[in-house]
Amino acid sequence: MQNVKFSEEKLKEVGRIISFYPEGKQKSALLPVLHLAQQEFGGWLDVPVMDYVASLLNIAPIEVYEVATFYSMYNLKPVGKYMFEVCQTGPCMLNGSDDIIRYIGDKLGIKPGQTTSDGMFTLKTVECLGACGYAPMMQMGKHYREHLTREKVDAIIEECRRNAASHN
Amino acid sequence: MGRKLLLDKAHVENIRLYDVYRQHGGYRSVEKAIKTMSPDQVTEEVKKSGLRGRGGAGFPTGMKWSFLAKPEGVPRYLVVNADESEPGTFKDRYLMEFIPHLLIEGMITSSYALGSNRSYIYIRGEYAWIVDILEQAIAEAKNNGWLGKNILGSGFDCEIYVQRGAGAYICGEETALLESLEGKRGNPRIKPPFPAVKGLWDCPTVVNNVETIAAVVPIVNEGGDEYAKIGIGKSTGTKLISACGNIKKPGVYEIDMTISVEEFIYGDEYCGGIASGKRLKACIPGGSSVPILPANLLLKTAKGETRMMTYESLADGGFATGSMMGSGGFIVLDETQCVVRNTYTLARFYRHESCGQCSPCREGTGWMEKILLNIENGKGKMSDIDLLWDIQRKIEGNTICPLGDAAAWPVAAAIRHFRDEFEWHVQNPDECVRRNYGLMHYADPLKTATPA
Ligand SMILES: Cc1cc2nc3c(=O)[nH]c(=O)nc-3n(C[C@H](O)[C@H](O)[C@H](O)COP(=O)(O)O)c2cc1C
Ligand code: SF4
Ligand code: FES
């Protein structure tokens, strides 16, 4: 984590986000800029990253820490290359999410909250993601995977392994 | 077939694109409002329509708008609540995903009525791909002169921006949302002052749900009186219902508020009945916060009248025998489901989502979760059931924001209507981990499901 600095392109994006708000209200850009930072700097928010965001928005680091620790989408620890965020709330439970969570855990040899030792997969249980009619479901990166079955989970894990192999 | 006002064109091919949306009559409401109506006249039509907020509380929208303070020289804001995190609710997502211009159009017309020159959509962080869809629609609207400076030569300026949240149900509560939009933790504010007086950056602000703002489009196009003709009594217009759980056809349905609950569950046009030919056990008709009802009280009120899909009828009987329309998240449980387990997952949800400012909510939600898990796992005591009842009562009404109530109500209703199922868990600690209690006396008295 030596070189914490956005590319020119990302700095432009930060500028675009800040322009959404009136003069002097650039702190409002904090949540979107943290998303951007998490995406750019390895999938989680290390302290130097948070300090960098504070300096970009001209606010105190503590204001960033407060926010980063409040919202569940910010990772304060390293996570795997692929994060399976499986919903476990009522409507998903009624459609078998407990079984899907157990199946993924068994298959990857990890418990919810853990990352595989090769750093490939993190399993996380989350609360209702607004896809209750398409349950069971999980979020993977920017998108949702819905109507999950054991077979679909197998295919998704395969797909991730293939993608990772082709990117190396 | 009921009337559809919001989703009637949602499945036209490429309706996401501006040109197609415009060809199908899009942006007429902006033209009509800006060219032929004063801002107050728009508000007047919304009042006449009887539209009630679709985010959960059902507060009359026209009245809310008329409360907006208008001090000289101070900006006013419209903020659209797209946080949609109440379990069972996924209607706003559907609307934004399939017909995003409807929201943008409704926002421009509403911004004109309210005098908001900068309007925001606060969207839950997980709906990341929908941000792209909305920003695309906003850019198209702007390129075609519906946003920006001096819209249609009227002198009215308006911009719309989208901000993503980052995973916190509490940010759906309007004052927590405003805190979050200001770049802070989502801690609800003490009211008063209300957002209408002191909202975003201390300026007068209206916060409305996605569906509420979308409904302004047909209201302005057809007139408030026409809109009010649909529905029954004070439940005017159409309502999006997101149906899920153990039904044949989960999904988002636009209903006009004239159909019965029974028709909604069993009708082929809607949920199509209970999945796998099982029988109906219970239902949470308006999102996870509202009281669960056993089948017999769901389909008929305690007075024996047919229960309708309206605000009034769903609430008939109060909390003793009724429930609420809430956010329209309709969760159905079939005969094999366990009410204790379902209630446990909801208690866990509220514990996870409590912002922690008030001790009854912070401590009470965690305590309820633990007790429910014990009962579910056959480790509960009879006295735990009374303890649960006691805790939920001490939370309700004793907190800064309504999340406390929202956490208390599902537990209260589960005990009120399904006490025997809780007791069975305590009395049969081994059996309850192997099988579920089943239907017992909650069976829908009207229907015996035909096996699929
Ligand atoms: C804990 C909590 C969560 C809420 N979540 C939402 C939500 O996700 N979307 C929403 O529109 N309203 C939500 N509300 C209601 C809002 O506070 C507010 O009443 C609503 O956005 C007003 O819009 P409406 O009048 O158009 O319904 C929530 C309220 C509470 C107490
Ligand atoms: S009731 Fe709960 S969520 Fe609402 S302010 Fe209090 S602690 Fe926070
Ligand atoms: S309960 Fe899982 S997406 Fe809503």
Side-chain angles (χ1 to χ4, degrees), chain B residues 285-296:
Chain B
S288 61
S289 310
V290 311
I292 187 171
L293 289 178
N296 50 355

Side-chain angles (χ1 to χ4, degrees), chain B residues 15-58:
Chain B
I15 195 76
R16 255 191 214 169
L17 301 179
Y18 171 79
D19 289 338
V20 179
Y21 182 75
R22 177 73 177 146
Q23 274 158 24
H24 283 85
Y27 290 96
R28 268 189 304 141
S29 77
V30 180
E31 253 170 334
K32 181 169 175 187
I34 292 190
K35 287 192 177 157
T36 70
M37 298 165 83
S38 70
D40 286 348
Q41 280 172 327
V42 178
T43 303
E44 204 45 47
E45 289 306 313
V46 174
K47 269 194 191 159
K48 277 195 229 160
S49 74
L51 175 66
R52 293 166 67 172
R54 303 298 195 225

Side-chain angles (χ1 to χ4, degrees), chain B residues 188-191 354-355 357-365 391-408:
Chain B
R189 300 174 180 170
I190 292 171
K191 295 193 257 191
S354 167
C355 84
Q357 282 190 106
C358 328
S359 17
C361 172
R362 183 186 60 238
E363 304 301 324
T365 51
I391 299 169
Q392 66 79 21
R393 262 193 32 216
K394 287 187 173 129
I395 300 174
E396 192 196 355
N398 292 320
T399 57
I400 293 176
C401 92
L403 186 139
D405 300 345

Side-chain angles (χ1 to χ4, degrees), chain B residues 6-7 51-56 61 64-65 78-84 89-107 110 120-124 127 130 134 172 177 207-218 239-240:
Chain B
L6 304 180
L7 300 183
L51 175 66
R52 293 166 67 172
R54 303 298 195 225
T61 306
K64 182 186 266 189
W65 287 14
L78 168 66
V79 176
V80 168
N81 190 339
D83 193 57
E84 189 160 73
T89 317
F90 48 101
K91 65 186 178 76
D92 297 335
R93 160 188 174 185
Y94 192 90
L95 193 151
M96 294 186 285
E97 221 176 328
F98 286 96
I99 186 158
H101 279 287
L102 185 67
L103 174 61
I104 305 306
E105 176 177 355
M107 283 183 75
S110 305
Y120 293 92
I121 302 172
Y122 181 91
I123 187 168
R124 66 175 302 172
Y127 287 172
I130 302 180
L134 291 171
L177 184 155
V207 181
N208 271 132
N209 175 258
V210 170
E211 184 190 346
T212 310
I213 292 299
V216 171
V217 173
K239 175 83 191 83
L240 299 183

